């Protein structure tokens, strides 16, 4: 190992004392840099080491026992020799022989291999300095001392030299005097300040290595509980922000919970809602044909009944031609001195009818009304039970193909026998009549004129079948079918082109679906806003602890597993945020479920939400975990090693 040991050195110029009992040791390899004010004695020191000056007393031990190579501020190149000759002459002066290859190698190392045959005047200052370093290297001294070699160079050239010195310092003991304080901190292995004739150590590779070693030897990292304690304490210092962010997050998550819960429970609750909404589920089915005029200004839609084959393909067992020609679905009804728009709907399932009062329809002239019906006429069921409701339908049957013009004026005289037990909310006033019975009744009515003309007995209902094969306007355009689960059927049939179905239940289902969809959109927007605010607050809470975190990280850097410790801190922040959010959002979700269910119940609706829905609960908490993870690990990750290092150096 090469070293320079100064023992009790005394030196003065006349009566100016430069060194008084100076003791200092430089051991290599390594880049030792000496800083100091001008006039502090740096050049004098190097001159003493280079044996250019003799100390008044004391000894300078240099091992290996050889004069160090010297590089000075001035390159001291001989103008009349090429760079190569300038370098080789130093060995000649020493009395040693040198190979050309070696010079080439060193010139290459210093990146001046192209300048071998140039004269000093033909190269730049930086290149001259490199040549002078080459001259120092050629003698293979293990020790090189340099007195401000970059003093006359610009920053760029200086850095080139420094880089070379760093490389050389791997197997040389370099003693460098410079004014460049900034660069010195970066490149020095050991950095000294010469002041009042003594050395002060500014930076030490040995101490850093020792620290590194110490860090490696400390096996214990930060424990999870310690991490939690630290995190808890520092989150506490920004209490308001943490609490706000948790509340925001919890609120957003409980919204999300409600949304998912609603989506999952919706089909069930809507089914039970529909069961309570309409007493009868009659479905109309028809083909729809779009006719577009050649100029495309006009688009017509024509409805047509399905053929028996088509019905069979759809697995529909029971079907009837629609009677709306005789009994229109919407009409004004004059009743108890008042006129109102009423829906007249056919029904099949008399036996399963949900009735609040009265009895199911048994005869063709019996009808059931609903509560909304009572409401529009301001009556109670008792007032109108067995009352008569007169419906007068004027229909013109004009059939060119059958060569006859009949005008039929069909009057229906109904008795009110029952009150449908359906929800009032959003329901329209409705009358239900027994489809079969009316159909059978119509079946008995003969059309004498037409029968005469075509020579056989024809009833009104026969016309449905006859006209099915004709292009006349009078025809059953729709088919009534009896389906147990219209919503399920609707979903099955939805994809089939041209075929449409119509049912109050499906209409209501579609309407509520639309409502839920728009609600979901609003919910999502809210959720998004809340989440952003929550994330923002959480980031703020964590970032506002930035300084404390850096200090904490600086501390951690002194111990083994600093990365592991960082992770533990991130995990602890995550755990704390997650647990708080989890508890709060669970409470909020449950609470709002109860509130919403109670609210809908007040409006005669079934429960819309499950009190505890596992799937939504899991999704929400995964979400919460992900947010906590991002919020707690990103800010910690953004603390840079340099910040920590600065903090460390600042504290030393
Ligand atoms: P540095 O290199 O740190 O600027 P020097 O070692 O060159 O300082 O000089 C140290 C002090 O000694 C300075 O005050 C300088 O004036 C003085 N000095 C240097 N050389 C001589 C000399 N030959 N005769 C008298 N004083 C000198
Ligand atoms: Mg000097």
């Amino acid at each position: 190992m090469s070293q320079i040991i100064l023992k009790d050195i005394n030196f003065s110029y006349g009566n100016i004392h430069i060194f008084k009992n100076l003791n200092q040791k430089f051991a290599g390899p390594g880049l030792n840099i000496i800083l100091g004010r001008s006039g502090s004695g740096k050049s004098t020191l190097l001159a003493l080491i280079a044996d250019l000056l003799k100390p008044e007393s004391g000894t300078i031990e240099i091992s290996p026992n050889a004069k160090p190579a010297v590089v000075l501020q001035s390159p001291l190149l001989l103008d009349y020799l090429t760079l190569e000759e300038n370098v080789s002459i130093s060995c000649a002066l020493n009395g040693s022989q040198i190979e050309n290859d070696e010079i080439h190698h060193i010139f290459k190392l210093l990146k001046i291999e192209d300048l071998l045959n140039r004269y000093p005047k033909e190269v730049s200052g930086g290149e001259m300095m490199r040549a002078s370093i080459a001259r120092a290297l050629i003698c293979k001294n293990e020790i090189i001392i340099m007195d401000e070699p970059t003093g006359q160079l610009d920053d760029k050239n200086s850095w080139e030299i420094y880089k070379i010195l760093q490389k050389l310092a791997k197997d040389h003991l370099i003693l460098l005097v410079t004014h460049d304080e900034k660069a010195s901190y970066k490149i020095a292995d050991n950095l000294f300040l010469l002041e009042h004739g003594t050395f002060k150590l500014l930076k030490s590779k040995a101490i850093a290595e020792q620290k590194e070693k110490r860090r490696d030897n400390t096996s214990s990292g930060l424990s999870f509980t310690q991490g939690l304690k630290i995190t808890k304490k520092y989150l506490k210092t920004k209490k308001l922000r943490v609490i706000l962010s948790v509340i925001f997050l919890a609120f957003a998550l409980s919204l999300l919970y409600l949304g998912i819960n609603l989506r999952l429970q919706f089909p069930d609750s809507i089914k039970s809602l529909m069961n309570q909404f309409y007493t009868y589920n009659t479905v109309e089915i028809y083909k729809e044909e779009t006719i577009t005029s050649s100029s495309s200004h006009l688009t017509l839609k024509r409805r047509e009944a399905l053929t028996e084959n088509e019905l069979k393909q759809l697995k529909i067992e029971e079907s009837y031609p629609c009677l709306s020609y005789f009994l229109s679905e919407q009409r004004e009804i004059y009743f108890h001195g008042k006129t109102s728009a009423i829906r007249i709907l056919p029904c099949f399932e008399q036996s399963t009818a949900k009735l609040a009062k009265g009895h199911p329809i048994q005869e063709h002239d019996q009808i059931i009304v609903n509560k909304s019906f009572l409401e529009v006429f301001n009556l109670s069921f008792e007032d109108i039970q067995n009352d008569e409701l007169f419906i007068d339908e004027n229909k013109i049957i004009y059939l060119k193909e059958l060569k006859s013009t009949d005008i039929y004026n069909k009057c229906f005289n109904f008795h009110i026998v029952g009150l449908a037990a359906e929800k009032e909310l959003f329901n329209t006033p409705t009358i239900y009549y027994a489809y079969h019975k009316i159909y059978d009744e119509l079946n008995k009515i003969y059309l004498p004129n037409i029968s005469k003309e075509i020579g056989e007995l024809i009833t009104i209902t026969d016309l449905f079948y006859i006209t099915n094969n004709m292009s006349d306007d009078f025809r059953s355009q729709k088919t009534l079918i009896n389906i147990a689960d219209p919503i399920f059927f609707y979903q099955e049939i939805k994809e089939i082109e041209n075929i449409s179905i119509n049912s109050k239940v499906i209409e209501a289902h579609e309407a509520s679906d639309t409502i839920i969809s728009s609600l979901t959109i609003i919910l999502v927007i809210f959720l998004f806003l809340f989440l952003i605010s929550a994330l923002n607050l959480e980031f703020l809470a964590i970032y506002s602890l930035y300084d404390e975190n850096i200090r904490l990280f600086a501390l951690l850097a002194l111990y083994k597993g600093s990365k592991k410790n960082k992770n533990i801190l991130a995990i602890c922040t995550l755990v704390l945020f997650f647990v708080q959010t989890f508890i709060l959002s669970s409470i909020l979700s449950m609470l709002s479920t109860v509130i919403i269910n109670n609210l809908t119940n007040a409006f005669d609706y079934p429960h819309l939400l499950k009190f505890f829905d596992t799937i939504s609960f899991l999704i929400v908490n995964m979400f919460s975990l992900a947010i906590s993870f991002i919020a707690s690990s990103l800010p910690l990750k953004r603390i840079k090693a340099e910040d920590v290092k600065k903090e460390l150096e600042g504290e030393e």
Side-chain angles (χ1 to χ4, degrees), residues 207 209-218 558:
I207 290 175
E209 273 171 357
Q210 245 176 29
K211 242 186 230 169
E212 194 76 31
K213 234 184 201 169
R214 219 189 303 143
R215 195 187 301 165
D216 287 347
N217 289 338
T218 337
L558 295 177

Side-chain angles (χ1 to χ4, degrees), residues 148-162:
E148 303 192 38
T150 58
Q152 288 173 3
L153 302 180
D154 58 24
D155 278 355
K156 190 172 163 270
N157 274 304
S158 300
W159 265 110
E160 300 266 309
I161 301 286
Y162 291 144

Side-chain angles (χ1 to χ4, degrees), residues 11 13-14 16 18-19 36-45 147-148 177 179 194:
F11 184 83
Y13 290 111
I16 308 167
I18 306 293
F19 300 118
R37 254 189 272 146
S38 138
S40 56
K42 304 180 296 289
S43 298
T44 309
L45 179 83
D147 195 357
E148 303 192 38
V177 164
H179 273 112
L194 182 59

Side-chain angles (χ1 to χ4, degrees), residues 527-569:
L527 182 79
F528 194 67
L529 288 176
F530 269 112
L531 280 184
I532 285 183
S533 324
L535 263 178
N536 249 336
L537 277 167
E538 227 177 292
F539 273 109
L540 255 180
I542 297 173
Y543 265 120
S544 63
L545 297 157
Y546 191 71
D547 285 346
E548 275 111 290
N549 272 334
I550 287 183
R551 215 159 300 142
L552 189 68
F553 273 37
L555 266 176
L556 290 175
L558 295 177
Y559 297 92
K560 199 195 171 184
S562 67
K563 192 148 193 189
K564 207 176 91 195
N565 288 334
K566 272 185 209 174
N567 290 339
I568 284 180
L569 279 183

Side-chain angles (χ1 to χ4, degrees), residues 159-223:
W159 265 110
E160 300 266 309
I161 301 286
Y162 291 144
K163 270 188 233 155
I164 292 165
L165 295 186
Q166 273 187 307
K167 225 189 270 171
L168 292 176
K170 290 205 176 101
D171 45 15
H172 289 84
L173 167 59
I174 298 176
L175 208 56
L176 169 75
V177 164
T178 178
H179 273 112
D180 197 342
E181 200 175 326
K182 218 165 123 195
S184 301
Y185 269 100
K186 279 190 190 145
I187 60 169
D189 291 320
N190 299 306
L191 186 63
F192 302 92
L193 177 70
L194 182 59
E195 211 173 37
H196 312 303
T198 54
F199 284 99
K200 201 170 150 192
L201 185 64
L202 296 182
K203 181 184 164 184
S204 161
K205 195 180 174 184
I207 290 175
E209 273 171 357
Q210 245 176 29
K211 242 186 230 169
E212 194 76 31
K213 234 184 201 169
R214 219 189 303 143
R215 195 187 301 165
D216 287 347
N217 289 338
T218 337
S219 59
S220 65
L222 192 66
S223 81

